[in-house]
């Protein structure tokens, strides 16, 4: 079945540690996105990529990094510079934009907590 | 200008009743307005979407009403069921252009439908 796979489902980070969240899609979508979800704040965009080897900062990129070496994959690294990393992280993908708009398809998220 | 404001934060409805969630936006360049449904521990799933060239769109028990002059849109859930209990997010984006697919989300509404 086509979809977006995020792993792991739960992740724990120690102080000063970088951690990487995986996101893989087999929908042949060009664009991929990373969101952070906190209670009562909706979804906030961290980074997005519209094409391989290119990505842009979203609204809350500080303390995060990404890469887009393959169309199917868009890993997110939460660095030690991110002082409040505890959140639910969601990856999404969409096809090329057009007049009708392109829906974003989401994975089932990774919950990151601090040890 | 990028904000999407959603209300109410939480909503309790009896089975069979009508659930209404409202959103307001500021950016007049937005031309794609999707609604997402999210169950606990899962990623959001697209429910229904509308473009501003129509004032209403209905899919089953779900209806979007759109008021372009007021820059507001709302989700109506008719004959609400306990299985509709979830968090609902409105969103907005430009369907085409350099920011295609980049969604701005509302803060979310937690809907509880009592049996």
């Amino acid at each position: 079945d086509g979809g977006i796979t995020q792993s792991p489902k739960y992740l724990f980070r120690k102080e000063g540690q970088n951690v990487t969240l995986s996101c893989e899609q087999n929908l042949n979508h060009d664009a991929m996105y990373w969101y952070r979800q906190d209670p009562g704040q909706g979804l906030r965009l961290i980074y997005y990529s519209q094409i391989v080897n290119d990505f842009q900062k979203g609204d809350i990129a500080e303390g995060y990094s990404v890469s887009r070496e393959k169309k199917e994959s868009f890993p997110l690294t939460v660095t030690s510079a991110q002082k409040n990393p505890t959140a639910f992280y969601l990856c999404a993908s969409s096809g090329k934009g057009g007049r009708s708009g392109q829906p974003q398809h989401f994975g089932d998220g990774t919950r990151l907590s601090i040890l | 200008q990028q904000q999407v404001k959603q209300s109410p934060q939480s909503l309790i409805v009896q089975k069979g009743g009508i659930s209404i969630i409202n959103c307001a936006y500021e950016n007049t360049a937005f031309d794609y307005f999707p609604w997402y449904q999210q169950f606990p521990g899962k990623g959001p799933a697209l429910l229904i979407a509308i473009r501003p060239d129509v004032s209403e769109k209905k899919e089953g028990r779900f209806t979007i009403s759109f008021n372009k002059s007021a820059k507001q849109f709302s989700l109506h859930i008719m004959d609400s069921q306990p299985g509709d209990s979830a968090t609902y997010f409105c969103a907005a984006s430009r369907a085409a252009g350099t920011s295609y697919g980049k969604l701005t989300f509302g803060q979310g509404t937690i809907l509880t439908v009592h049996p």
Side-chain angles (χ1 to χ4, degrees), chain A:
Chain A
D1 283 356
I4 298 177
T5 301
Q6 289 188 243
S7 62
K9 193 169 180 63
Y10 300 96
L11 188 59
F12 297 91
R13 196 191 88 170
K14 295 180 181 178
E15 292 288 339
Q17 186 181 48
N18 293 352
V19 292
T20 298
L21 284 61
S22 171
C23 178
E24 302 277 334
Q25 56 101 357
N26 61 4
L27 299 167
N28 198 32
H29 283 165
D30 292 297
M32 297 187 74
Y33 312 81
W34 274 105
Y35 293 91
R36 171 180 171 138
Q37 185 174 20
D38 297 280
Q41 294 197 47
L43 280 71
R44 292 182 290 167
L45 183 64
I46 303 172
Y47 269 98
Y48 66 105
S49 168
Q50 297 177 346
I51 195 169
V52 174
N53 293 323
D54 188 43
F55 49 82
Q56 286 78 40
K57 292 182 178 180
D59 301 317
I60 56 164
E62 186 174 349
Y64 300 97
S65 66
V66 294
S67 63
R68 186 87 186 275
E69 296 177 1
K70 297 187 300 182
K71 186 175 184 177
E72 304 80 22
S73 179
F74 191 41
L76 173 74
T77 297
V78 183
T79 75
S80 57
Q82 172 50 244
K83 298 306 180 188
N84 184 25
T86 298
F88 190 48
Y89 290 88
L90 288 159
C91 179
S93 70
S94 69
K96 283 193 174 183
R99 192 177 182 280
S100 301
Q102 285 292 333
Q104 290 187 16
H105 300 261
F106 285 83
D108 279 339
T110 292
R111 190 166 297 281
L112 176 61
S113 302
I114 292 295
L115 277 178

Side-chain angles (χ1 to χ4, degrees), chain B residues 50-94:
Chain B
I50 197 169
R51 285 184 51 82
D53 48 358
V54 296
S55 60
E56 186 175 284
K57 183 175 181 179
K58 183 176 181 179
E59 289 184 3
R61 296 184 293 109
F62 300 92
T63 300
I64 300 179
S65 297
F66 187 84
N67 185 330
K68 187 174 181 178
S69 60
K71 293 186 286 185
Q72 295 176 347
F73 58 109
S74 60
L75 176 69
H76 292 63
I77 305 175
M78 311 299 288
D79 187 26
S80 298
Q81 299 297 312
D84 296 331
S85 297
T87 300
Y88 292 80
F89 292 96
C90 64
S93 77
R94 295 179 60 189

